Amino acid sequence: MESKRNSPTVTSANFPGDSNGVVGKRSFLRELPEPDVFIVTAGGRRIPAHTGILASVSPVLENLIYRPTKRRSSEKIVPILGVPCDAVSAFVEFVYSSRCTKEEMEKYEVHLLALAHVYSVPQLKQRCVQSLHRRLTVDNVVDVLQLSRLCNSPALYVRCLKLVYHHLKAVEQTEGWRFLQRHDPWLELDILQFIDESESRKKRAKRRREEQELYLQLSEAMDCLEHICTEGCTSVGPHDVDPTKAAAARKKEPCGKFATCQGLQMLIRHFAACEKRVSGGCHGCKSMWRLLRLHSAICDQPGSCKVPLCRQLKLRSQQEKRRDEARWRLLARKVVTAKAMSSLSQVTMMRRRRRPPEEEAKEMCRPSRARGARSFKLGNGK
């Protein structure tokens, strides 16, 4: 027995990870010197290896190999305990060849991830994380979550948290979750905090989408208001045209934003005829005043603008310096920004549709009938 320890030889029965004569199929292994270190597993298996190869791949193994020991024996031994013997063999095989079979990865991915983390082998760690990503389920997500935290794998950790968030009720029925509640309350608290933050982000995103939609609707209303006052539409003509002449003019076809334009025309007709507007007006009149006020805040050419009261409202806001002027400017800026972003998005979509498939692939490789027109007249602003 002693002679075997002092004169280790490379054979197909004792080489790292080999059980079926794999060494005989790899010519480069025949050129290696005799092993000078043994890796001892929990089951007592002795895996011969080479200090140069282990030290070049893992700095942790390098420290273990070359650290001073009190033993006088010249034989170098590196114990790797706590995992199955076959997992250690697969680990050493990866150290030598940077390869791992699919069967070994699926069977020992958890153990290999722990070994890769402990002994600082980033390539193997990445392979294990990718494998666990693909094989992540509701049943094993809690175990993988604990492992990812211990092995300092943030990508896998966040992936597990998202799976728990989307399938919380199913995860709560698993044995892993019950074990977590009994033995790791801090991790349970982290999961609950992540769920709470995810719900808050979801609500904020929904609120931002609703605000963006509102700003786009206001932007469309501003376009329709200017369109009606400048060109006229199906039932309302320009404000500076005589009603009899407007009725005799050619019929207007529905514009591209007819749904918004039609509602705005109804609001304009109501605003022109409502008798309550002098004392503050009804809800419809107040809405019309707000639209006019917003237009005056957005318009940059009040001298030539054909929207009624545009110039008067802008002058009044500049002279009186109302307290809510900052809010109107902020609203106007958001409406203009939403319109610009929407236009940019539409242009991008149109370009993508018109682009030939070859160019797109190349780019990806590089980083009712109208009635007669009727004019309307608005009174002076309050």
Side-chain angles (χ1 to χ4, degrees), residues 42-69:
R45 183 184 301 178
R46 295 165 59 86
I47 304 176
H50 301 81
T51 56
I53 295 178
L54 298 182
S56 64
V57 175
S58 170
V60 178
L61 289 175
E62 181 182 10
N63 293 332
L64 291 175
I65 291 171
Y66 295 112
R67 68 179 178 180
T69 59

